[in-house]
Amino acid sequence: GHSKNAAEVDKPIAGLLKDLRSRGLLEDTLVLWGGEFGRTPVAQGTNGRDHNPHGFTMWMAGGGTKGGYAHGATDDYGYYAQEDKVHINDLHATLLHLLGLNHEKLTYRYAGRDFRLTDIAGHVVKEVMA
């Protein structure tokens, strides 16, 4: 069902981005597209593809991101991330930075300890920024 699903979302996504750009809002609006997990490059019998914790694809547009830029790559098989890996903490730090927030200062106190979304890690991926 990939072709059918892609066809159902491609036109609305293109319309959203075109509308934001035509109104001058894309430069100030961060659009993030991704699913809840990566998928393996092969089917599992008749049940579709399995979750893939080793490779994941997302895209961003506007909001200070670099248009047309691809960051990172998987192996030739599409299973393992190999180049310029981005940990979830790095993704969160980058998204917060693009929204004007410092991930190291965005904390909440719980059980006597300050916690943050990026835990004790997280680096802003500057390569994706315009």
Side-chain angles (χ1 to χ4, degrees), residues 55-78:
F56 191 82
T57 301
M58 302 181 86
W59 62 258
M60 296 186 285
T65 60
K66 194 184 299 181
Y69 175 74
H71 185 83
T74 62
D75 59 8
D76 290 340
Y77 195 56

Side-chain angles (χ1 to χ4, degrees), residues 6-41:
E8 288 178 0
V9 298
D10 281 352
K11 191 171 182 180
I13 291 169
L16 170 65
L17 296 176
K18 185 177 179 180
D19 184 60
L20 288 170
R21 180 176 288 142
S22 72
R23 296 170 189 263
L25 298 172
L26 187 57
E27 65 188 44
D28 296 322
T29 305
L30 178 61
V31 180
L32 174 69
W33 183 268
E36 61 180 303
F37 44 75
R39 289 292 195 175
T40 57

